[in-house]
Amino acid sequence: MPKYNAGQVKVLEGIVESFIKNVVKSAGNAPDGASPAEVFSDSVRVMEMPKIIVARIAFNRGAADPDKRVKQILKYCSSVLPAMQRSFGDDLLIDALPADARTQEIADICRENGADGIAKLVDEAVKRDMAADFKTGMKKQGGQRHG
């Protein structure tokens, strides 16, 4: 029986889609009028390229088994992460994480599969969301009278 389910696979695939749509293909303020995709391409180091290509091919194949699919997704994410971080910084990547990926469960799945870099981004997103929720809760409470 698979360790992971289709819902978890969908959430992890959503991370890849969001990074592509909201970071690499977004109209950001890239230097010298370059597109974010060009900035990313320029940030990929020669030694990283083979790993990215192999991981991308496996990702595109899309294993039917949820456990294998999770490994494919996270291997691909991990292979592109260093260049993404150099290109766009952690803050933009954290902001791009979909809401359903901002959970401890997803961070744990990433860690279990050796995707520590992605897990750290998810951890930070969870922390930021909790801090924002706390701040919002304090504001709402501040306007009420007790007694």
Side-chain angles (χ1 to χ4, degrees):
M1 190 159 151
K3 185 175 180 178
Y4 304 111
N5 62 51
Q8 293 164 323
V9 169
K10 187 173 176 164
V11 170
L12 293 168
E13 286 176 336
I15 293 173
V16 175
E17 291 168 18
S18 184
F19 280 175
I20 291 169
K21 187 176 90 185
N22 297 322
V23 179
V24 179
K25 289 188 176 175
S26 68
N29 42 359
D32 305 327
S35 74
E38 290 169 325
V39 173
F40 171 73
S41 293
D42 291 345
S43 295
V44 175
R45 296 192 174 136
V46 176
M47 298 300 288
E48 292 170 334
M49 192 52 80
K51 192 164 53 165
I52 291 172
I53 292 169
V54 168
R56 177 71 189 205
I57 291 168
F59 173 80
N60 286 341
R61 270 197 208 124
D65 175 71
D67 293 354
K68 287 182 181 167
R69 186 65 183 147
V70 164
K71 288 197 181 309
Q72 289 173 332
I73 295 165
L74 292 175
K75 190 170 202 145
Y76 179 53
C77 284
S78 295
S79 71
V80 298
L81 184 62
M84 296 277 285
Q85 289 172 312
R86 285 192 296 276
S87 300
F88 309 111
D90 285 353
D91 286 338
L92 192 58
L93 297 175
I94 290 165
D95 290 346
L97 284 171
D100 59 355
R102 296 165 167 264
T103 67
Q104 192 57 55
E105 175 193 27
I106 295 300
D108 292 343
I109 290 171
C110 292
R111 264 190 211 84
E112 287 168 14
N113 289 281
D116 292 336
I118 302 294
K120 285 178 185 167
L121 293 177
V122 173
D123 285 339
E124 185 58 32
V126 169
K127 269 191 235 166
R128 289 181 186 186
D129 290 351
M130 286 173 59
D133 289 348
F134 180 74
K135 200 173 187 181
T136 302
M138 293 299 281
K139 282 182 183 172
K140 285 180 184 171
Q141 215 174 26
Q144 298 173 350
R145 290 190 174 196
H146 300 286

